């Protein structure tokens, strides 16, 4: 890329009257100084403190303000509108590269050129400004806040394989290549706070790069992220997660397993053969359903290779179930049925984790060569 691309900056705002003028000025200084052509798009949800009025004072061909109408007394705002505001900003953006950031100086404007340079260097579809990459960090957080943030990232890592491409899937500071996300944007209706997470999950595989940064204290005003966002996050993650689909498929496999076993038992009268036939049939039907549904977006390489690896993954799950029962029963005197039940849960986790990493590889870029 010889010429510098047009860059759009999206600033979602809700009650940022004390920050908006300064952040726009600072972004103009940093981007103008680095010689980028840029535009800034403020998406405000009719903030009661009139952030949008202040933003409109700076309006120019380079600074656009989108004011969304929010019904009075509705509690969809107060932060709930963040992800959808980001979507609107991205759809309006004319730039080849679009940066999304907080308007409160928690995401330092000096990092923006680094995101742009990284995108140009690597050709990545998404560049995440990461608190958890080497060299990144957070300023002035309590242990509890840090623990919650890391916990949420871990939950996302387990439940949403596409987020494994970044160390900070909860980041609100990132760059996207507009052309790579255009079609996803049109179809998604994101809820809550975690726009980036949802984008990664809803897209076909995106190439992700990272730039470390230190998350600063808020310059002025208050955070809109409340306890309700935690509950929203958990529900939302469960809905988006292939783990939920993997569990449904697993239950259907039990029915296949028992039905085939019954048929073969009636025909041969040999329990060993009947059991093995049941097991193999359920592995095959689970595989087909996971291919077509659970992990349909994560198919890479040859189907036969995946089938072979899925056998290993399933065997890993069964062995885990057995060993858990054995260990709990022998070492702790736990009732074998209870031990088996706990083992089934752990075996499910092992099978799911192996399936989502070695069988179907979500969020890991295909090697096109
Ligand atoms: N238009 C609009 N509508 N903007 C909103 C809304 C909304 O409903 N809610 C918040 N914003 C704006 C804020 O004004 C701010 O510019 C930005 O979105 C982020 O909101 P904050 O209230 O500053 O969130 P935070 O700092 O607690 O959380 C940030 O860090 C998290 C990671 O810890 C955000 O960047 C999150 O996205 C991020 O996950
Ligand atoms: Mn913030």
């Amino acid at each position: 890329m010889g010429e510098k691309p047009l860059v759009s900056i999206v600033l979602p705002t809700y009650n940022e009257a004390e920050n908006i003028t300064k952040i726009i000025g600072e972004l103009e200084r940093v981007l103008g100084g680095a010689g980028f052509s840029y535009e800034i798009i403020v998406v405000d949800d009719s903030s009661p403190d009139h952030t949008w009025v202040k933003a409109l004072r700076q309006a120019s061909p380079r600074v656009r303000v989108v004011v969304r109408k929010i019904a009075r007394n509705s509690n969809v705002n107060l932060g709930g509108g963040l992800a959808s505001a980001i979507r609107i900003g991205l759809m309006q953006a004319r730039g080849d590269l679009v940066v999304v950031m907080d308007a409160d100086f928690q995401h330092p404007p000096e990092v923006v050129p680094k995101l742009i340079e990284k995108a140009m260097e690597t050709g990545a579809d998404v560049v995440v400004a990461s608190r958890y990459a080497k060299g990144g960090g957070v300023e002035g957080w309590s242990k509890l806040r840090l623990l919650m943030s890391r916990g949420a990232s871990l939950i996302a890592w387990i439940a949403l394989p596409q987020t494994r491409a970044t160390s900070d899937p909860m980041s609100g500071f990132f760059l996207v290549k507009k052309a790579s996300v255009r079609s996803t944007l049109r179809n998604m209706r994101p809820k809550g706070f975690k726009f980036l997470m949802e984008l990664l999950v809803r897209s076909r595989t995106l190439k992700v790069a990272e730039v470390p940064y230190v998350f600063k204290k808020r310059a002025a005003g208050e955070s809109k992220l409340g306890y309700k966002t935690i509950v929203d996050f958990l529900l939302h993650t469960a809905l988006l997660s292939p783990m939920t689909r993997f569990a449904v498929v697993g239950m259907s496999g039990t029915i296949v397993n028992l039905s085939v076993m019954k048929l073969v038992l009636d025909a041969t009268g040999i329990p060993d053969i009947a059991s093995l036939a049941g097991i193999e049939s359920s592995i095959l039907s689970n595989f087909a359903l996971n291919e077509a549904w659970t992990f349909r977006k994560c198919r890479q390489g040859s189907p036969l290779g995946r089938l072979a690896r899925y056998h290993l993954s399933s065997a890993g799950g069964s062995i885990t179930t057995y060993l858990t029962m054995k260990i709990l029963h022998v070492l702790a005197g736990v009732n074998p049925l209870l031990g088996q039940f706990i083992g089934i849960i752990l075996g499910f986790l092992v099978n799911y984790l192996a399936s989502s990493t070695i069988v179907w590889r979500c969020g890991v870029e295909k090697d096109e060569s």
Side-chain angles (χ1 to χ4, degrees):
M1 226 185 276
E3 230 165 82
K4 290 205 168 177
L6 173 64
V7 180
S8 305
I9 311 286
V10 172
L11 293 176
T13 59
Y14 194 77
N15 286 349
E16 302 291 355
E18 289 171 86
N19 295 315
I20 190 68
T21 309
K22 260 190 257 163
I23 189 93
I24 292 176
E26 197 55 27
L27 282 167
E28 294 198 297
R29 194 183 63 76
V30 169
L31 291 164
F36 287 108
S37 30
Y38 65 88
E39 60 169 3
I40 297 172
I41 303 170
V42 177
V43 186
D44 187 86
D45 285 347
S46 307
S47 295
D49 75 353
H50 294 148
T51 307
W52 48 281
V53 178
K54 290 205 162 178
L56 279 168
R57 281 192 202 130
Q58 281 160 290
S60 71
R62 280 198 162 161
V63 180
R64 289 192 278 147
V65 185
V66 180
V67 186
R68 301 201 300 169
K69 291 205 172 59
I70 298 285
R72 291 221 175 274
N73 305 324
S74 87
N75 45 19
V76 287
N77 52 4
L78 274 179
L82 177 56
S84 72
I86 292 173
R87 173 174 172 269
I88 296 296
L90 283 170
M91 304 238 298
Q92 296 262 330
R94 300 190 189 110
D96 311 301
L97 304 177
V98 191
V99 175
V100 176
M101 62 193 290
D102 284 14
D104 55 8
F105 287 93
Q106 293 194 283
H107 301 153
E110 313 83 74
V111 179
V112 173
K114 294 190 197 163
L115 296 177
I116 300 168
E117 277 149 25
K118 191 78 177 186
M120 291 168 66
E121 255 168 56
T122 60
D125 303 305
V126 178
V127 182
V128 180
S130 168
R131 296 163 288 181
Y132 304 127
K134 197 163 172 258
V138 290
E139 208 174 65
W141 271 17
S142 66
K143 285 245 163 53
L144 181 69
R145 172 96 205 252
L146 190 61
L147 192 75
M148 291 200 331
S149 175
R150 303 298 332 230
S153 304
L154 178 66
I155 291 173
W157 191 92
I158 293 172
L160 304 171
Q162 287 93 338
T163 65
R164 295 174 196 165
T166 167
S167 59
D168 195 358
M170 305 296 137
S171 182
F173 190 13
F174 55 90
L175 172 153
V176 296
K177 204 194 269 176
K178 176 85 191 250
S180 311
V181 300
R182 191 173 276 125
S183 63
T184 309
L185 280 179
R186 224 176 287 132
N187 301 321
M188 71 195 281
R189 293 289 177 276
K191 292 188 191 70
F193 248 63
K194 305 302 173 195
F195 180 87
L196 174 64
M197 185 179 97
E198 180 146 357
L199 182 75
L200 291 173
V201 172
R202 296 231 187 251
S203 305
R204 299 234 155 225
T205 304
L206 294 169
K207 183 173 175 190
V208 180
E210 294 195 325
V211 167
Y213 83 103
V214 177
F215 187 83
K216 295 274 183 338
K217 285 193 188 130
R218 221 175 208 284
E222 285 170 12
S223 168
K224 283 96 214 171
L225 193 151
Y227 281 96
K228 195 177 161 286
T229 44
I230 301 173
V231 179
D232 285 351
F233 163 75
L234 292 174
L235 284 175
H236 201 174
T237 302
L239 277 176
L240 290 172
S241 177
M243 221 169 149
T244 314
R245 302 193 290 268
F246 197 75
V248 171
V249 169
M251 285 182 235
S252 80
T254 309
I255 300 171
V256 171
N257 190 330
L258 292 173
S259 312
V260 170
M261 179 162 175
K262 167 98 171 62
L263 284 176
V264 177
L265 195 58
D266 288 349
T268 65
I270 308 170
D272 284 347
I273 291 184
S275 169
L276 289 175
I279 291 172
E280 182 57 23
S281 308
S282 67
I283 290 180
L284 292 175
S285 77
N286 286 354
F287 177 76
L289 290 171
N290 287 328
E291 259 305 270
W293 184 45
T294 315
F295 292 117
R296 66 190 178 284
K297 287 188 190 158
C298 314
R299 293 184 296 227
Q300 292 185 41
S302 92
L304 277 179
R306 288 197 292 277
L307 181 59
R309 294 195 300 272
Y310 185 65
H311 275 84
L312 289 178
S313 171
S314 304
S318 306
I319 292 168
T320 305
T321 304
Y322 171 74
L323 289 179
T324 306
M325 182 284 289
K326 196 80 185 154
I327 290 169
L328 287 177
H329 177 55
V330 173
L331 296 184
V334 173
N335 175 305
L337 273 178
L338 178 62
Q340 181 87 342
F341 179 70
I342 298 169
I344 288 172
I345 294 170
L346 290 180
F348 169 82
L349 264 179
V350 166
N351 189 6
Y352 164 76
L353 285 176
S355 287
S356 63
T357 43
I358 61 165
V359 185
W360 294 277
R361 290 192 295 154
C362 310
V364 179
E365 218 211 347
K366 279 184 206 103
D367 192 350
E368 302 289 355
S369 59

